[in-house]
Amino acid sequence: ARVFQRVSGRSVSSPGRRMLYLSVLVAFAACNAPPVPLDDIFIEKTFVPDQCVRAVKVGDYVRYHYNGIFPDGKKFDSSYDRGSTYNVFVGRKQLIEGMDKALVGMCVNERRLVKIPPHLAYGKQGYGDIIPPDSILHFDVLLLDVWNPEDGVQINTYHTPATCSRKVEVSDYVRYHYNGTLLDGTLFDSSHTRMRTYDTYVGIGWLIAGMDQGLLGMCVGERRIITMPPSLGYGENGDGSDIPGQASLVFDVVLLDLHNPRDGIAVTNQNVPASCTRKSVSGDFVRYHYNGSLLDGTFFDSSYSRNRTYDTYVGQGYVIAGMDEGLIGVCVGERRTITIPPHLAYGEEGTGSKIPGSAVLVFDVHIIDFHNPSDSTDITVIYKPAGCDKQTKKGDFVKYHYNASLMDGTSIDSTHNYGKTYNIVLGANQVVPGMEDGLMEMCVGEKRHLVIPPHLGYGERGVTDEVPGSAVLVFDIELVDMEEGLPEGYMFIWNQDVSPDLFEEMDKDNNQVVEPSEFTDYIMQQVNDGKGRLAPGFDPYRIIDNMFSNQDRNGDGKITVAEFKLKADEAAAHDEL
């Protein structure tokens, strides 16, 4: 009553007040009564993970940490203090009954506060000196792992590449990156931290069984989560370091490379030009552009970035074996993708910084041109006039138009751009040897298509900013005019009989010597009168100066009767009279 009066501030005379008084007494008794004994376990979920892929079922094997405490807060046991999880099957009476029930339904990384009554713990007997009889036990439990003896490898593919021409099979060699974690997310290993892929054969026992199974069927570029029970991982003992015994393992894997030791090169994505008159053979010299990448698309090299083709002999061991093979049978202008396994490329060692060991290489190749050192100029007559009774020969002075290009069609030069012909003397080394060949035995008005190999063109050096080194040249030519040259070895000939008084006719001042001016005036007069002819295509005064020098045998600047001779009088051939 005093309590009620303190609470209400009123007396207790009426029946209604007596009822309120009795209610307060009940409440007061409840506040001061001893705790009601637990009939069953009590579970408080103190942390629940966002995702729960799997919950514990009877028969599962679990690994968990716990702190065991009495209701007064006194600790009686802890897995943390022992430095190892508690590992056990659930529902097989390997635990106290209350813990067997409390673990069911838990998720990895879930945390529970479990209160277990004595009859579901150690009962009236207690447990030695550790747990007194009839003790209520509290356990703070953190679940780290769960698996079942019937579990196999679980695969979750979360990225599939758009194209997959090949999948991992038994005995394939693969390169992949991975992050390895325990089921609770604890990282135990990563190839990324070592900045190096893991490289191995698949399906022949080089890997733990779960990984051997988990990699099968993967495509290059695919990403998957591979989860395996300890029986397919490191088993009861773990790895002795970062992986505890009986631990499930989770590998986040991305496949970067795949080949088989039996592989040869693969040629795909071929784009062959409509006109292909010739295909490359062993011993040819090829000029090509390329982009080089790894199988996962990682770029490592390009001829385009250097703005220069890669030039090499094929089939002769000058390039890696796979490229040597892949460049055989190509056409000029062809594009192809050549995939080369490492044993035909840079092998187990790679090249260091750009190409890792055991890497498959992919080359996208564009063939610019090729030739053989034994090639001659290829001449195709496009048009020949009906009446062709006079053909070019060595020494003739010819005038022609041309369009010049590389084999890939890149224009080099054209006389049409200048509005005038190109004029040369055949056989005088005024053009490349291939053009000399192409202009021989040609009629005025004739048109030809010439393909000139570099050893008959501009060679290995080419022409700076115009013709690349070792380039095959293409000329479309048309002979516009020609002037017949002199016989070989002659720079001047007579068109009629030579005067018996030749020296006297030259010696205008009759001083018994012929001066340079007298000699020049006389020869030019003969040419103008049609009595003689100088070699066409050359500077006439330079020819005459040369003729004078040949006659001036002592080099004193004048010709005497004793020095003066006709060519017919010479024992050896000279460019003189």
Side-chain angles (χ1 to χ4, degrees):
R2 285 193 296 271
V3 171
F4 177 77
Q5 288 175 336
R6 283 197 298 270
V7 172
S8 66
R10 298 181 182 180
S11 65
V12 292
S13 57
S14 69
R17 290 172 181 161
R18 289 193 188 98
M19 291 298 296
L20 181 58
Y21 166 70
L22 290 175
S23 299
V24 173
L25 287 179
V26 171
F28 177 77
C31 291
N32 290 274
V36 177
L38 290 171
D39 292 328
D40 200 352
I41 63 171
F42 174 81
I43 296 174
E44 179 186 351
K45 296 182 180 181
T46 57
F47 177 78
V48 178
D50 292 334
Q51 292 183 338
C52 182
V53 178
R54 176 174 179 174
V56 176
K57 297 181 296 185
V58 172
D60 284 346
Y61 192 92
V62 297
R63 294 191 310 110
Y64 63 93
H65 268 306
Y66 70 88
N67 282 315
I69 55 177
F70 294 116
D72 63 1
K74 181 180 179 182
K75 183 167 65 175
F76 62 82
D77 192 15
S78 173
S79 62
Y80 297 99
D81 293 344
R82 292 192 297 274
S84 64
T85 56
Y86 196 80
N87 308 335
V88 69
F89 282 100
V90 176
R92 295 189 181 183
K93 297 184 178 181
Q94 296 178 0
L95 292 162
I96 58 176
E97 187 176 352
M99 187 61 79
D100 248 350
K101 294 176 66 177
L103 292 169
V104 174
M106 283 193 79
C107 302
V108 172
N109 285 328
E110 183 178 336
R111 193 164 189 168
R112 291 183 173 182
L113 177 60
V114 182
K115 299 178 182 180
I116 303 176
H119 67 279
L120 297 179
Y122 293 97
K124 296 184 179 300
Q125 291 77 27
Y127 186 79
D129 297 332
I130 300 174
I131 299 176
D134 294 321
S135 295
I136 296 174
L137 305 181
H138 293 185
F139 289 91
D140 184 1
V141 180
L142 174 63
L143 186 68
L144 300 181
D145 200 347
V146 55
W147 53 271
N148 193 282
E150 296 180 359
D151 286 348
V153 173
Q154 300 173 43
I155 296 173
N156 175 26
T157 298
Y158 64 93
H159 174 74
T160 303
T163 58
C164 180
S165 58
R166 178 174 178 176
K167 296 181 178 181
V168 177
E169 299 177 358
V170 171
S171 81
D172 282 344
Y173 193 89
V174 298
R175 295 193 310 111
Y176 62 94
H177 269 304
Y178 70 90
N179 285 320
T181 63
L182 304 180
L183 208 58
D184 67 340
T186 301
L187 181 73
F188 63 79
D189 192 17
S190 174
S191 61
H192 297 281
T193 60
R194 294 190 295 274
M195 298 183 68
R196 182 176 180 179
T197 55
Y198 195 83
D199 309 338
T200 185
Y201 287 97
V202 176
I204 61 173
W206 284 33
L207 291 162
I208 55 176
M211 188 61 82
D212 249 352
Q213 296 177 32
L215 292 170
L216 292 176
M218 282 194 81
C219 304
V220 171
E222 182 177 334
R223 295 175 181 267
R224 55 170 61 171
I225 303 292
I226 303 171
T227 305
M228 65 194 70
S231 59
L232 299 176
Y234 288 91
E236 295 182 5
N237 299 320
D239 71 344
S241 176
D242 298 310
I243 300 174
Q246 300 289 29
S248 300
L249 304 180
V250 180
F251 290 91
D252 188 344
V253 176
V254 55
L255 186 66
L256 300 183
D257 203 343
L258 158 67
H259 78 276
N260 193 283
R262 299 187 300 271
D263 287 348
I265 68 167
V267 176
T268 56
N269 302 326
Q270 285 180 274
N271 185 347
V272 182
S275 61
C276 179
T277 58
R278 173 178 170 182
K279 294 185 177 182
S280 61
V281 297
S282 179
D284 282 345
F285 192 87
V286 180
R287 296 175 55 245
Y288 62 97
H289 271 303
Y290 70 88
N291 284 318
S293 63
L294 305 181
L295 206 57
D296 66 340
T298 302
F299 171 86
F300 65 79
D301 193 18
S302 174
S303 61
Y304 296 99
S305 64
R306 295 188 293 275
N307 198 30
R308 181 177 178 180
T309 57
Y310 194 85
D311 309 337
T312 185
Y313 288 97
V314 294
Q316 306 289 308
Y318 286 88
V319 289
I320 56 176
M323 188 61 82
D324 236 0
E325 182 181 349
L327 291 172
I328 298 295
V330 297
C331 302
V332 171
E334 181 175 338
R335 295 177 184 269
R336 58 168 51 178
T337 298
I338 306 171
T339 303
I340 304 175
H343 52 274
L344 297 177
Y346 293 97
E348 295 181 6
E349 300 300 323
T351 63
S353 60
K354 291 187 177 180
I355 300 176
S358 300
V360 177
L361 306 182
V362 180
F363 290 92
D364 289 312
V365 174
H366 181 203
I367 307 301
I368 303 302
D369 70 30
F370 64 84
H371 72 279
N372 195 282
S374 63
D375 286 348
S376 57
T377 300
D378 183 54
I379 301 172
T380 303
V381 176
I382 305 301
Y383 170 76
K384 194 167 188 175
C388 182
D389 54 357
K390 191 174 184 181
Q391 296 180 326
T392 56
K393 66 182 183 304
K394 188 176 181 180
D396 287 351
F397 183 59
V398 298
K399 299 178 180 181
Y400 63 98
H401 274 302
Y402 69 81
N403 290 316
S405 65
L406 303 179
M407 286 288 279
D408 65 349
T410 301
S411 177
I412 299 174
D413 195 14
S414 175
T415 54
H416 298 285
N417 295 337
Y418 311 116
K420 61 181 181 180
T421 58
Y422 198 79
N423 309 328
I424 65 162
V425 176
L426 284 176
N429 297 321
Q430 295 176 350
V431 289
V432 296
M435 182 59 79
E436 291 264 23
D437 297 338
L439 287 166
M440 290 293 183
E441 300 178 356
M442 200 171 179
C443 303
V444 172
E446 185 175 338
K447 298 178 180 180
R448 291 181 175 182
H449 179 78
L450 310 180
V451 180
I452 302 175
H455 51 274
L456 297 176
Y458 291 102
E460 294 182 6
R461 293 190 176 186
V463 178
T464 303
D465 298 329
E466 293 184 34
V467 180
S470 299
V472 177
L473 305 178
V474 179
F475 284 89
D476 288 301
I477 61 174
E478 177 185 3
L479 187 63
V480 175
D481 196 4
M482 63 172 287
E483 182 179 346
E484 188 174 3
L486 303 186
E488 186 173 358
Y490 286 80
M491 296 300 288
F492 173 85
I493 60 172
W494 297 97
N495 291 331
Q496 58 187 31
D497 293 336
V498 181
S499 170
D501 301 321
L502 186 58
F503 184 84
E504 288 77 9
E505 291 176 5
M506 287 186 183
D507 184 17
K508 293 292 185 183
D509 57 6
N510 298 315
N511 63 350
Q512 300 302 307
V513 293
V514 175
E515 305 288 341
S517 59
E518 293 175 319
F519 188 87
T520 299
D521 291 343
Y522 183 82
I523 296 298
M524 289 300 296
Q525 186 64 48
Q526 305 309 303
V527 171
N528 293 333
D529 293 343
K531 298 178 180 178
R533 190 158 69 93
L534 291 167
F538 299 99
D539 181 352
Y541 292 101
R542 291 190 65 181
I543 294 176
I544 295 171
D545 287 345
N546 184 50
M547 293 168 61
F548 183 89
S549 296
N550 288 334
Q551 294 293 319
D552 181 14
R553 301 174 190 280
N554 61 8
D556 64 353
K558 56 193 176 200
I559 302 171
T560 63
V561 173
E563 292 175 317
F564 187 80
K565 292 182 181 180
L566 295 174
K567 188 172 182 67
D569 300 329
E570 295 287 340
H574 292 286
D575 292 333
E576 55 192 45
L577 289 174

